[in-house]
Amino acid sequence: LREKCQFMSGVKLVKDYLCVNYTVNGGLNKQLVILEKGNVIPIDSINEVYSFEWFNDSLLLYCKENQMKRSDNLYCRNILTGKDSLLFFEEDLTFDIEVSKTKSYAICSIQSQSENEIFMADVKSDYPNFKQITKRKNDVVVHIKEFENRIYSLTNENAVNNKIGVYKDNRFVDVIPHSTKTVIEDYIIKDGYMVIKSRRNSFTQVSFKALNGSKWKKIEFKNDIFEVDFMSLKNDELKLFYSSIKAPGTIYKYDLKQEELTELKTTKIGWEYKNDLSSVRSERLWVKSEDGVKIPMTLLKSVNPKRQHKGLILKAYGCYGSYGAGSSFSREDMILIQDGYTIVYAHVRGGGIMGGDWHTDGKLLNKTNTFKDYITCAEYLIDKDYTDKDHLVGNGVSAGGLLMGVVINE
């Protein structure tokens, strides 16, 4: 297994068995092997597995990719007999199937880029009898979580900036309603508290309240521009993974009762510029696009670079409602900044940093807004003498390459 494995994408355990999913042939193919605990010889294997979960100690749920690398099925394999049962097959070529699991339920999501439907099966039953809890609706996406034996949803249905609901009487009832000013990105509910990660006017926020209270409180960090992910919530202690422009990945704990933030661990930086982080400054800039909409940019530069020049790298993505980069630590950016470059992230329409409407205003027939926003940002940086036309560098990766291809020909 060690000789064949090139990248391990999943390891999952049950009472007597272990599943390992890994890539072979330079990442072109996937192989899932099933082993008995304590034995290195696989008792079974499945090719091209996209996602998988143990339903119980002897039933394995898995989705396979077809020749087009599309996951269009969900199978249940009995490890004791080696027999498969097909549970779902999706004919629509724009959709795929993914299986996941909460504490109490197996979750099947049949999904496209812009919509999905959800099925659940109680893991206490002997067989995965899936029940549909949400139906496909145009441009509606639902994400499921379980906290303290209750199913919650984060959805954009009639809520472009998302809302949180709880499953009750065969439907979802709003817990946190939609806000036109705040985008809900993530949440955690446990031990008498609700904690929400949101974004307001392009800035990340973390807020919390007691479930039996009404007052929301905000967790304050050192920097205004940062990203954060929830790790755990137990009793009154919230653990967070935090990263800002000048701070690499840092684990914090926050005492929700005492309202105290404590640093637990910081990622070590192993290069010569690690002592120069204090010289890096970040700033949120705003510029009006040609239709009057204000476009946010994140500017990063050193007040004491190793070299002085006017090179500026203008990065952008602007697709799929992505919040994009520019708020968390980047080794690549730090090396370029200390070498004298200025880095600017243009948060153009098509992304999601300003909410659901920001995404909609930069896709399909509105896609030209993405290109115009980027050009406006570039012109602003030249006009304000952050750089000049001979030292401006455009950068767009993946879908951002489309953006680069258009603007370079404008």
Side-chain angles (χ1 to χ4, degrees):
L1 181 62
R2 182 183 301 173
E3 294 175 354
K4 296 179 180 179
C5 178
Q6 294 166 334
F7 175 78
M8 194 175 297
S9 59
V11 177
K12 293 176 182 177
L13 296 159
V14 286
K15 182 179 179 181
D16 297 317
Y17 300 101
L18 166 69
C19 261
V20 181
N21 201 27
Y22 59 93
T23 61
V24 294
N25 298 330
L28 296 176
N29 301 103
K30 299 183 181 75
Q31 179 84 22
L32 182 141
V33 294
I34 303 166
L35 306 99
E36 286 185 301
K37 286 185 180 178
N39 195 331
V40 297
I41 306 299
I43 62 171
D44 204 351
S45 65
I46 311 171
N47 295 326
E48 308 302 335
V49 172
Y50 174 72
S51 60
F52 67 100
E53 292 285 351
W54 287 104
F55 182 74
N56 58 30
D57 290 343
S58 61
L59 297 181
L60 177 69
L61 300 173
Y62 68 93
C63 301
K64 281 190 68 168
E65 292 180 345
N66 59 23
Q67 292 181 340
M68 302 300 293
K69 296 296 181 181
R70 175 175 158 260
S71 172
D72 60 2
N73 54 69
L74 173 61
Y75 287 96
C76 177
R77 175 165 295 190
N78 188 317
I79 302 304
L80 302 178
T81 65
K83 292 183 178 180
D84 282 334
S85 299
L86 178 62
L87 303 180
F88 289 95
F89 178 76
E90 177 56 42
E91 295 182 354
D92 191 327
L93 298 180
T94 64
F95 283 75
D96 60 22
I97 302 178
E98 183 173 6
V99 65
S100 60
K101 191 177 179 181
T102 68
K103 179 182 177 181
S104 305
Y105 296 95
I107 307 294
C108 172
S109 176
I110 303 179
Q111 59 204 17
S112 70
Q113 286 284 355
S114 59
E115 63 188 83
N116 70 342
E117 59 183 340
I118 302 292
F119 298 81
M120 295 195 316
D122 192 332
V123 297
K124 293 191 295 293
S125 60
D126 295 330
Y127 190 78
N129 297 305
F130 281 92
K131 171 187 174 183
Q132 186 169 23
I133 62 168
T134 69
K135 295 182 179 181
R136 297 183 200 186
K137 295 181 181 178
N138 190 37
D139 290 331
V140 171
V141 177
V142 182
H143 299 285
I144 298 296
K145 286 189 175 186
E146 181 181 358
F147 296 109
E148 298 181 333
N149 300 317
R150 303 188 78 182
I151 294 295
Y152 292 86
S153 67
L154 180 68
T155 180
N156 65 345
E157 183 174 9
N158 301 318
V160 293
N161 292 334
N162 297 332
K163 62 182 179 181
I164 298 172
V166 61
Y167 195 63
K168 186 178 181 182
D169 297 329
N170 295 319
R171 66 188 184 94
F172 283 101
V173 179
D174 289 355
V175 174
I176 302 296
H178 173 253
S179 169
T180 58
K181 296 181 178 180
T182 302
V183 186
I184 302 174
E185 295 184 21
D186 198 7
Y187 63 102
I188 186 169
I189 303 169
K190 194 178 179 184
D191 293 340
Y193 289 97
M194 172 180 280
V195 188
I196 290 180
K197 174 188 174 184
S198 61
R199 198 176 294 268
R200 188 180 181 93
N201 200 29
S202 78
F203 292 97
T204 301
Q205 297 179 341
V206 179
S207 306
F208 70 96
K209 78 176 186 71
L211 291 178
N212 59 3
S214 58
K215 184 179 180 181
W216 287 94
K217 297 182 180 180
K218 184 179 175 183
I219 300 178
E220 300 290 346
F221 295 93
K222 295 179 182 178
N223 301 286
D224 292 332
I225 302 174
F226 66 89
E227 287 298 330
V228 67
D229 292 304
F230 299 137
M231 298 179 68
S232 65
L233 173 58
K234 186 176 182 180
N235 298 325
D236 299 327
E237 184 178 286
L238 173 70
K239 282 189 178 180
L240 305 155
F241 186 83
Y242 168 93
S243 178
S244 73
I245 301 303
K246 297 192 291 185
T250 304
I251 296 175
Y252 284 101
K253 73 173 181 179
Y254 186 81
D255 189 314
L256 297 169
K257 194 171 184 179
Q258 301 297 324
E259 300 181 26
E260 294 177 351
L261 187 68
T262 304
E263 182 180 311
L264 298 179
K265 184 179 180 181
T266 300
T267 303
K268 293 182 180 180
I269 307 173
W271 84 84
E272 61 178 302
Y273 298 132
K274 63 182 179 180
N275 296 321
D276 295 327
L277 291 177
S278 60
S279 69
V280 177
R281 72 177 181 90
S282 60
E283 183 181 354
R284 183 60 50 81
L285 304 176
W286 298 84
V287 57
K288 281 188 178 181
S289 195
E290 65 174 44
D291 59 356
V293 175
K294 288 186 176 181
I295 312 301
M297 293 185 286
T298 301
L299 180 142
L300 315 172
K301 68 180 301 183
S302 174
V303 297
N304 184 31
K306 300 296 182 183
R307 294 173 56 196
Q308 296 286 345
H309 57 71
K310 302 205 64 155
L312 185 149
I313 303 173
L314 181 58
K315 298 185 175 185
Y317 186 69
C319 202
Y320 303 125
S322 169
Y323 303 115
S327 298
S328 57
F329 187 80
S330 166
R331 293 172 182 265
E332 174 188 303
D333 286 353
M334 282 300 140
I335 293 172
L336 290 168
I337 288 168
Q338 296 300 337
D339 198 38
Y341 286 92
T342 297
I343 308 292
V344 177
Y345 287 87
H347 304 293
V348 296
R349 281 174 283 184
I353 196 169
M354 295 291 286
D357 286 336
W358 200 253
H359 174 212
T360 302
D361 288 346
K363 73 173 187 176
L364 300 176
L365 297 178
N366 296 323
K367 191 59 186 175
T368 54
N369 286 331
T370 305
F371 314 139
K372 293 174 181 177
D373 290 351
Y374 186 89
I375 292 171
T376 298
C377 291
E379 292 173 344
Y380 174 88
L381 294 167
I382 293 171
D383 291 342
K384 296 300 181 180
D385 204 32
Y386 287 100
T387 188
D388 57 56
K389 64 180 183 179
D390 295 324
H391 293 84
L392 177 65
V393 179
N395 180 283
V397 177
S398 189
L402 168 67
L403 170 58
M404 295 298 109
V406 171
V407 299
I408 204 169
N409 285 291
E410 283 290 316

